[in-house]
Amino acid sequence: MKNFQVLPAFWLRPGDAEGGDTHNANCHKGSKAINTVDTYNYLFAKTVILGCPGVGEDPCFTFNSSVTVAGELPEYDYAQVEGPTGYHTEDFNISSSLDVTTGHLVDYNSSLPLVFSTWDLQHAFGIWAPPGQFTDYPLQYAVFHFPENVRSFADKTNKWSVVWKKNFLPPNTGPWELNYTVFVCVGTQQDAAECLMKLVTYHDHRYR
């Protein structure tokens, strides 16, 4: 088991402005930073445990993430938390989803457990988050394939993440601690799918 804690940095330093165009209307090129300090004053933390309940000796990691929301924050629609996130080489370019009613892999669907694989299916991560956690929106398993026409090998990156969204938490009512658990299976594509099914089956009775 490993524990990690950090005071995260803001996207911009106080007084700086956004240098590039974004899809967010409140964060377009030239937008000024609204933070007044370089780093957030409340901890982000995670615990990584080797092993997952219900899968026997299958290679699997348990990620417990904690995000503290507190202090004088501007009004926002929702807090978006990604935890965990995996960044991989361009070889990881196959995204599939697990139909937990049949145990079969299907085309990628952001609402279903994710299996993220290499092109030959010999290396994969299976990702699943149990229901009933601290979120107000449907959980999303997000996938990003960064541009294929970039020149640098290092820039050819594929990414997955588990995305949580929590409604606006009024300032000075916290601190609020948002805690999330995610299981990550490792192996071939088939190994990851079978491991995920074991997890879902094991935990199913807890959420009926």
Side-chain angles (χ1 to χ4, degrees):
M1 181 174 70
K2 289 289 186 179
N3 297 305
F4 306 87
Q5 293 183 333
V6 65
L7 295 176
F10 286 97
W11 182 254
L12 298 173
R13 290 184 181 275
D16 286 354
E18 177 61 55
D21 292 320
T22 73
H23 298 295
N24 189 327
N26 298 316
C27 190
H28 54 78
K29 186 174 183 179
S31 297
K32 294 287 187 180
I34 59 175
N35 47 294
T36 58
V37 292
D38 288 343
T39 55
Y40 188 54
N41 293 324
Y42 300 91
L43 283 174
F44 283 20
K46 69 178 178 182
T47 300
V48 182
I49 302 170
L50 179 59
C52 302
V55 302
E57 296 184 358
D58 288 5
C60 186
F61 295 88
T62 301
F63 285 81
N64 295 317
S65 303
S66 175
V67 175
T68 304
V69 180
E72 290 289 344
L73 297 175
E75 187 169 350
Y76 56 89
D77 295 328
Y78 56 80
Q80 178 168 312
V81 178
E82 294 188 22
T85 295
Y87 288 86
H88 305 280
T89 64
E90 61 178 332
D91 292 326
F92 282 85
N93 58 6
I94 304 296
S95 302
S96 305
S97 296
L98 181 70
D99 183 338
V100 297
T101 62
T102 66
H104 296 155
L105 289 174
V106 297
D107 291 341
Y108 168 68
N109 182 324
S110 63
S111 65
L112 297 177
L114 172 67
V115 177
F116 197 74
S117 314
T118 54
W119 60 272
D120 60 2
L121 311 183
Q122 294 305 298
H123 307 277
F125 295 88
I127 302 99
W128 179 65
Q133 302 198 54
F134 202 39
T135 184
D136 294 315
Y137 293 76
L139 171 69
Q140 288 187 309
Y141 299 91
V143 169
F144 298 92
H145 298 288
F146 291 97
E148 297 180 356
N149 59 349
V150 295
R151 296 181 180 178
S152 170
F153 172 80
D155 290 335
K156 295 181 178 180
T157 305
N158 292 327
K159 167 193 172 184
W160 59 265
S161 62
V162 182
V163 181
W164 316 86
K165 294 179 180 179
K166 184 65 183 171
N167 284 335
F168 175 68
L169 300 168
N172 301 316
T173 59
W176 298 86
E177 189 172 291
L178 313 183
N179 296 300
Y180 304 106
T181 296
V182 175
F183 302 114
V184 179
C185 299
V186 181
T188 66
Q189 187 193 63
Q190 187 61 35
D191 292 338
E194 292 175 357
C195 174
L196 288 179
M197 275 305 300
K198 291 179 182 178
L199 284 166
V200 172
T201 302
Y202 176 82
H203 286 83
D204 179 64
H205 70 280
R206 297 177 57 191
Y207 304 106
R208 289 179 178 172

